[in-house]
Amino acid sequence: DIAIVTYNRSDLLERAIQSVLDQDDQGFTLYVLDNQSTDDTAELCERLLKPPHQYICNPENYGMVGNWNKALKTGSAQYLNILHDDDELTPGFISSLKAFIARHPDCAFIHTAVDNIDQTGAVTGSKVHDFPEHVPGDAYFTGWLGGKVDVVCPTVVFNRDRLPSELRFSASQPFTADLVFFLKASAFGSV
């Protein structure tokens, strides 16, 4: 499953959705989780999303962290990627991910390097680390504490079968909720 979390950014959302729909491997379901947008997000999703893909307008604005938690509960696939409305998947992301999972099914979560892009899609920088391709969760944890790993939230794919259902992003830590979640998740498998 891929869940795009959004609020009032339909101009960016269209590119995010299209980057998912243009993947070479179509073995996924896309969910757009809208935090009560007042722009044309609903109309955009109606135009772009066809079954099995779904637009879900939350009954209230859950905030960013709350919408991440909604994403954790949305869909039923073993693997989940939470993408933001201003992010885009690179071509071949799904097929590369599936190949990695076949080699390393013990991961609690998987993350990739990231290219920073501007409004035109031009790459303005990259975040790449030299950490090994696959490490036990405790090695990830200590490597992160030592500054060796830089995980960017929308590059993370969670293995929901390995994570306890009560594990959630903490709204009381809005600026570090994702980082704390990743550290906790590393206790349940390799990274």
Side-chain angles (χ1 to χ4, degrees):
D1 292 328
I2 299 172
I4 300 178
V5 294
T6 191
Y7 177 67
N8 277 343
R9 298 203 299 186
S10 63
D11 56 327
L12 298 170
L13 177 63
E14 183 166 9
R15 286 178 45 182
I17 291 172
Q18 205 58 57
S19 78
V20 175
L21 297 178
D22 288 346
Q23 291 294 305
D24 59 342
D25 185 321
Q26 293 289 303
F28 62 87
T29 301
L30 171 60
Y31 300 91
V32 176
L33 305 179
D34 182 8
N35 250 345
Q36 290 282 311
S37 292
T38 57
D39 63 5
D40 64 339
T41 293
E43 294 81 9
L44 172 73
C45 290
E46 183 177 325
R47 179 171 52 86
L48 293 178
L49 300 178
K50 306 298 180 226
H53 311 307
Q54 297 179 35
Y55 166 74
I56 300 170
C57 186
N58 296 332
E60 62 185 84
N61 186 327
Y62 297 139
M64 178 181 64
V65 175
N67 214 8
W68 290 345
N69 285 325
K70 168 81 178 211
L72 288 174
K73 298 184 286 186
T74 301
S76 60
Q78 180 178 355
Y79 292 93
L80 168 70
N81 173 234
I82 301 175
L83 198 64
H84 301 140
D85 54 15
D86 63 342
D87 297 314
E88 299 175 29
L89 295 182
T90 56
F93 177 83
I94 301 289
S95 55
S96 295
L97 175 68
K98 287 183 176 180
F100 183 89
I101 290 169
R103 293 191 312 272
H104 305 291
D106 63 328
C107 287
F109 69 91
I110 300 155
H111 71 97
T112 69
V114 63
D115 288 330
N116 296 317
I117 58 173
D118 63 17
Q119 287 91 348
T120 69
V123 175
T124 60
S126 297
K127 290 187 178 186
V128 181
H129 57 78
D130 60 359
F131 216 60
E133 175 181 289
H134 176 261
V135 297
D138 59 347
Y140 164 81
F141 187 92
T142 56
W144 186 88
L145 292 176
K148 293 183 177 181
V149 182
D150 190 7
V151 180
V152 180
C153 190
T155 71
V156 176
V157 178
F158 301 101
N159 182 342
R160 291 194 269 204
D161 287 356
R162 288 198 160 265
L163 302 180
S165 60
E166 66 275 3
L167 184 61
R168 295 284 176 250
F169 295 96
S170 174
S172 67
Q173 303 162 319
F175 299 108
T176 58
D178 53 346
L179 302 177
V180 171
F181 187 93
F182 305 150
L183 290 173
K184 288 180 179 178
S186 69
F188 300 98
S190 295
V191 177

